[in-house]
Amino acid sequence: MSLIIAKDICHVYDSGERAYEALKKVNMSISEGEFVALVGPSGSGKSTLLSILGVLTKASSGIVQIDGIDVTNLGEEERARFRREYVGFVFQQFHLMPYLTALENVMLPLVMTSISKKEQKEKARLALAKVGLEEKGHRLPAQLSGGEQERVAIARAIVNEPPLLLADEPTGALDVANGNRVMALLTDLNKQGHTIVMVTHNPAYEPLAHRVIRLQDGAIVEGSGSLTRPGEV
Ligand code: ADP
Ligand code: ADP
C-alpha cells in the first residue's frame, strides 16, 4: 500500500521581485516499509520535496496524500497535529536543546501529549536503547560525540513511533565511521517498520536504500515509483 502519494507537485519560492520554480510537476509514490534515497545535485529541490512530504511546507500546487489522508488542504494547526503523529524528522544539524539531557531531548515530542511523565520517560529510554545510547541518557549534548548526538536526534524522531521517518543529510556532519553507524541504524529502523525517506549526497549510501529517487532541476529523472491505480487520489 502507498504510504505517500504526491501528484503534480509544483513549488515556487516567490521573493516578490522574482519567482523561482523549485519543483516542477513532481509525481511519486512511496510504499509502506520502503527505504528511499532522495538524491540529486545541490539546488535540485530535494529539501523542498522532503519538507513537503513531511507536511512542513505547503506545496504551491499539487496533491499530497499520506496514509490515506489528503493533507493538501489542512490548516496550520491540523498540519502540526498531523506531523506530531505521523512524521519524525532528522536533520544534518542535530538541533538538540543544549541545556537538556539526552533523555529530556528525546522526551520533547511527548511533552505536548497526554502521556504521563513516567510513561514519557519509559518511551524515551526505549528509543535511546534502540539507538544504542541507553547508558548516556543523563548526558548533555556537549558531553556526547557528534555521532552520538545524531543518534539522540534519531531517537527523538522515533520516540512517537511515527510511520514516516524523514532524514535530510543525516550523515552530512559526521565522519565516515559515524556516518556508517547512523546508516546502519536507519537500515535497522527501516527493518523494524519505519518507512524512511533520506536525502543524501553520498553515493556510497544509495545501495542501502530500496530505491533511489533522483531529482534534477526540480523534476524527478529516476525512480518515481508506480503511480496509483485508476481512481486513487
Ligand atoms: P536541494 O535540497 O536539492 O539542495 P532545495 O530544495 O534546498 O534543493 O532548493 C531548490 C531550489 O530552491 C534552489 O535553487 C534554492 O536556491 C531554492 N530555494 C530553496 N529555499 C528557498 C527559499 N526559502 N527562498 C528562495 N529560494 C529557495
Ligand atoms: P565517536 O567515535 O562517536 O566520534 P568520540 O571519539 O568523539 O566518539 O568520543 C568517544 C567517547 O567519549 C564517546 O563515548 C563520548 O560519549 C565521549 N565524549 C566525546 N566527547 C565528549 C565530551 N565533550 N565530554 C564528555 N564525553 C565525551
Side-chain angles (χ1 to χ4, degrees):
M1 180 197 154
S2 290
L3 181 65
I4 304 176
I5 294 170
K7 279 198 144 186
D8 294 333
I9 299 297
C10 296
H11 196 70
V12 178
Y13 290 108
D14 197 345
S15 61
E17 279 175 23
R18 56 191 193 95
Y20 184 85
E21 206 178 2
L23 292 174
K24 303 163 186 167
K25 288 231 172 207
V26 164
N27 285 282
M28 52 173 276
S29 72
I30 292 175
S31 301
E32 229 177 288
E34 261 196 297
F35 186 175
V36 171
L38 192 53
V39 307
S42 182
S44 56
K46 304 182 294 295
S47 293
T48 303
L49 181 56
L50 200 72
S51 175
I52 289 170
L53 299 182
V55 197
L56 273 174
T57 297
K58 209 171 185 141
S60 305
S61 64
I63 294 168
V64 180
Q65 187 180 304
I66 299 175
D67 202 21
I69 300 167
D70 187 342
V71 298
T72 317
N73 296 313
L74 295 183
E76 274 315 311
E77 216 165 292
E78 290 167 299
R79 294 166 71 80
R81 198 175 320 127
F82 184 88
R83 281 197 299 272
R84 278 200 292 277
E85 189 173 342
Y86 280 88
V87 193
F89 292 96
V90 182
F91 300 98
Q92 178 173 342
Q93 305 305 324
F94 319 125
H95 295 300
L96 299 176
M97 297 287 179
Y99 49 87
L100 296 181
T101 65
L103 189 77
E104 288 165 345
N105 266 286
V106 175
M107 282 169 66
L108 280 178
L110 305 174
V111 168
M112 298 278 284
T113 66
S114 57
I115 301 171
S116 73
K117 265 270 144 24
K118 184 163 173 264
E119 205 180 326
Q120 289 180 19
K121 250 187 194 155
E122 262 159 38
K123 280 180 183 283
R125 282 210 186 90
L126 205 72
L128 274 176
K130 274 193 182 175
V131 303
L133 289 176
E134 57 272 64
E135 308 294 337
K136 297 189 176 172
H138 60 284
R139 294 210 194 178
L140 294 172
Q143 299 169 323
L144 295 168
S145 73
E148 289 171 336
Q149 289 184 55
E150 185 68 344
R151 280 147 64 203
V152 172
I154 291 172
R156 182 181 54 190
I158 60 168
V159 70
N160 246 350
E161 294 170 55
L164 180 59
L165 184 58
L166 301 180
D168 198 344
E169 285 279 340
T171 63
L174 304 177
D175 60 29
V176 174
N178 278 306
N180 289 345
R181 184 144 195 211
V182 161
M183 285 308 302
L185 175 59
L186 291 178
T187 305
D188 194 40
L189 290 173
N190 173 248
K191 286 192 179 127
Q192 289 173 40
H194 294 276
T195 304
I196 300 181
V197 183
M198 169 191 71
V199 169
T200 183
H201 275 122
N202 190 339
Y205 294 144
E206 290 179 16
L208 295 178
H210 297 138
R211 172 154 58 108
V212 172
I213 294 180
R214 194 174 306 276
L215 279 170
Q216 203 168 328
D217 294 330
I220 293 182
V221 293
E222 177 192 334
S224 62
S226 61
L227 250 190
T228 67
R229 299 182 295 271
E232 257 187 338
V233 179

